Amino acid sequence: MKNIVLLGATGSIGKSCLSVIRQNKEHFHLFGIGFGSNLDKAQEIVQEFNPDHIFVAQSQSDKSHSFWKTHSNTLSNEDELQGLIQDPKVDIVISAISGFAGLKASYFAIEAGKTILLANKESIVAAGDILMPLADTKDSEIIPVDSEHNALYQCLPRERNLNEISKILITASGGPFREKSLIDLKGVSLEDALKHPTWSMGAKITIDSATLVNKCLELIEAHYLFNIPESQIEIIVHPQSIIHSMITFIDGSTIAQMSNPSMEVPISNALGMGTRLPINFQQIDFSKLNLSFQPVANDREIIFDMAREVCNRKGNLGVIFNASNEIAVDAFINKNIDFIDIYKVIQRTFDYFSCSKVSTIDEIFEYDKEARIQAEKVIKSLH
Ligand code: NAD
Ligand code: MG
C-alpha cells in the first residue's frame, strides 16, 4: 500500500487522480490532500477517501462553510504543509496545484527526497535550475504527469541513453484558435478561449492552450526534465490529441505513445511506477482514426522564440516568462485586457529584464515578485 499526498485535489487533475486511485484502492491510500478552493468538492473527497491530513491554503477564507465545522483540525500554513510532505509515511506526492502557487509544494517534495508526480509544469519552468539539481542530490524521482511528458517518459528507453535521441516531438492540439491567424484573434471572448476542442482542464491551462503558451511551458519543461537541448525539440500540431508525443532515435525509428485524450492514462502510468495499472478507458478505434499533423502557425513563433531563449540562457528567464504569463492570463480572465494583449504583456515584461543566474529558491520567489510588478505596469500602459 502506497501513501499518497494529493495537492490540488479539488481541481481537474485532482479529479482524474482520485478516479485512478478509486479504481486501484488496493494499492493506494490517500494520506493527505491539499487544495485552495471548492470546499464542497473537498467535503465530498474527505467523505469518500477519509484522508489522514487536510491542507487548506490560507486564501480560503470562507470559514462559515460547514467544512470548517467538521474538519477543524486542518493544516493551513506552509510549515504544516512541509511537515505533511516530509512525513516518513508519505511515499508519493502529487503536485497538481495550478500555477506558480504550486512551486512550494514541488520544492518541499523534492527537498524531502520523495517520489513526485509532477503535473504542475510551472514549478519546473520557473525553478528548473534549482529543482533539477536538488532532485539529483536528494534522490527524488520526478515522474511527469503532463500528458506529453509522460508520453516521452514512456517512449524513452529504460537506460535513458540520451545520445540515442535524434529529436523529441511534442504534439499540440492547437487549441480552439488553431485555424485563426493572430489578427483574427483580436477581440475573441473569454468564453471562446475557454472552449478547448479535445481536453477538459482548469481555466488557467485552458487559456494557455488557446494562446499556445502552454506549449512554450511544455517545451521548457521537456528541456529540463529530459535534459535535451531545445534544438532537438520540435512542436507539431496534431488536432486529434491521440499521439501525445514521440521520440525519433538516431537509427530512424520513431516511437509514439497513443491513447484517447484522458488524463487518467498518464496519471495511471505515473502512479504505476513501472507496472501497468488497470483503469476504465475508451479504446482507440483504429479503423476510424484519421491522424493529421501541421506546423505551428508562423505568427505565433514570437512566444516560442522566448521559450527557446529560456532553455538556452536559463537563470531568471523561466520565472519571468511564467510570471508575466500568469499576470496576463489573470487580466484576460478578469476582462482587463484583450486576448492578443497577453502576448504583448509577456514580451514586454520578458524584454524588460536581463538574464541573471539564480542559485537559491528564494531568488526565484524574488524574481517572480518583480516580474509580476513589471507585468502589471505593462498592463497599465496598454490602457
Ligand atoms: P485547476 O484549476 O482545475 O485546479 C487547481 C487545484 O489547485 C485546485 O484544487 C485548487 O484548489 C488548487 N490550488 C490553487 N491555488 C492553490 C494554493 N495556493 N494552495 C493550495 N492549492 C491551490 O487546475 P488543473 O487543470 O487541475 O491544473 C493543475 C496543474 O496541472 C497545473 O499546473 C496545470 O498546468 C497542470 N496540468 C493540467 C492538465 C489538465 O488536464 N488539467 C494537464 C497537464 C498539466
Ligand atoms: Mg500537456
Side-chain angles (χ1 to χ4, degrees):
M1 185 68 83
K2 291 217 154 64
N3 280 326
I4 298 179
V5 171
L6 171 58
L7 301 167
T10 57
S12 162
I13 288 284
K15 185 177 173 200
S16 300
C17 289
L18 292 169
S19 171
V20 175
I21 293 170
R22 187 180 294 119
Q23 293 172 68
N24 290 275
K25 277 197 188 111
E26 66 284 16
H27 299 304
F28 303 109
H29 167 64
L30 199 61
F31 185 76
I33 59 165
F35 61 95
S37 54
N38 205 340
L39 289 169
D40 288 338
K41 202 176 271 179
Q43 187 90 285
E44 286 170 24
I45 297 169
V46 172
Q47 256 153 25
E48 181 183 351
F49 291 90
N50 193 21
D52 304 75
H53 302 280
I54 304 166
F55 170 77
V56 190
Q58 268 166 347
S59 53
Q60 187 73 48
S61 56
D62 182 15
K63 294 277 161 74
S64 63
H65 194 284
S66 61
F67 180 91
W68 290 104
K69 293 182 193 99
T70 29
H71 311 289
S72 52
N73 59 341
T74 51
L75 318 171
S76 62
N77 70 46
E78 271 177 7
D79 290 343
E80 290 173 319
L81 174 65
Q82 186 171 21
L84 166 62
I85 290 173
Q86 281 172 340
D87 191 316
K89 292 197 209 85
V90 173
D91 300 298
I92 298 170
V93 176
I94 305 181
S95 172
I97 291 172
S98 71
F100 187 79
L103 173 59
K104 272 271 161 72
S106 300
Y107 178 74
F108 291 154
I110 294 172
E111 160 90 348
K114 301 290 179 183
T115 296
I116 170 170
L117 267 50
L118 185 81
N120 180 271
K121 62 192 95 189
E122 294 90 346
S123 302
I124 291 292
V125 171
D129 275 6
I130 307 294
L131 298 185
M132 295 312 292
L134 186 67
D136 270 350
T137 321
K138 300 286 180 178
D139 212 14
S140 158
E141 190 181 4
I142 305 177
I143 306 181
V145 162
D146 209 350
S147 57
E148 297 76 6
H149 304 73
N150 184 266
L152 295 169
Y153 180 77
Q154 294 194 47
C155 294
L156 268 179
R158 282 253 173 261
E159 55 281 5
R160 297 286 164 93
N161 191 351
L162 300 180
N163 296 331
E164 292 182 350
I165 294 176
S166 168
K167 170 164 96 169
I168 277 181
L169 292 116
I170 297 181
T171 52
S173 70
F177 305 138
R178 179 170 49 88
E179 304 291 351
K180 292 193 191 299
S181 67
L182 207 49
I183 301 163
D184 298 332
L185 293 180
K186 204 167 162 33
V188 292
S189 69
L190 174 62
E191 291 66 31
D192 285 341
L194 285 172
K195 277 185 207 136
H196 197 281
T198 50
W199 297 97
S200 153
M201 310 177 284
K204 191 255 175 189
I205 183 172
T206 305
I207 301 301
D208 286 350
S209 300
T211 56
L212 293 188
V213 169
N214 185 46
K215 284 302 137 183
C216 296
L217 301 176
E218 292 186 350
L219 188 148
I220 302 166
E221 183 187 10
H223 164 72
Y224 274 115
L225 288 181
F226 303 110
N227 197 17
I228 299 276
E230 59 75 24
S231 54
Q232 279 173 267
I233 306 175
E234 185 180 325
I235 309 290
I236 179 110
V237 175
H238 165 47
Q240 299 80 17
S241 301
I242 296 288
I243 292 186
H244 301 299
S245 277
M246 22 193 179
I247 301 182
T248 299
F249 293 91
I250 48 175
D251 62 358
S253 284
T254 296
I255 302 201
Q257 186 267 344
M258 308 168 81
S259 72
N260 276 317
S262 158
M263 285 309 292
E264 291 190 27
V265 176
I267 289 166
S268 66
N269 173 269
L271 275 172
M273 291 200 265
T275 1
R276 298 276 174 187
L277 298 174
I279 54 163
N280 290 323
F281 66 98
Q282 202 201 343
Q283 299 260 2
I284 298 174
D285 184 349
F286 282 91
S287 65
K288 298 211 177 87
L289 209 56
N290 207 345
L291 302 184
S292 61
F293 302 92
Q294 64 196 66
V296 177
N298 280 341
D299 58 8
R300 254 41 75 81
E301 271 306 315
I302 196 158
I303 42 165
F304 285 96
D305 288 348
M306 281 185 269
R308 290 187 185 280
E309 191 178 341
V310 172
C311 298
N312 287 323
R313 303 182 69 202
K314 301 190 177 25
N316 58 350
L317 294 187
V319 60
I320 290 161
F321 184 76
N322 181 69
S324 60
N325 178 54
E326 288 194 13
I327 291 293
V329 170
D330 225 45
F332 173 65
I333 289 177
N334 290 310
K335 306 198 170 171
N336 281 339
I337 60 170
D338 196 277
F339 183 82
I340 53 167
D341 289 338
I342 295 176
Y343 299 110
K344 285 186 203 152
V345 175
I346 299 173
Q347 192 172 22
R348 290 182 196 173
T349 309
F350 192 74
D351 287 348
Y352 176 83
F353 289 90
S354 48
C355 178
S356 306
K357 209 173 153 326
V358 283
S359 32
T360 65
I361 196 78
D362 291 340
E363 286 175 66
I364 300 285
F365 284 100
E366 219 23 72
Y367 277 117
D368 175 75
K369 223 182 270 165
E370 282 180 35
R372 281 168 197 268
I373 292 169
Q374 188 55 31
E376 296 282 10
K377 282 188 189 157
V378 174
I379 289 173
K380 272 207 187 107
S381 76
L382 293 172
H383 291 130

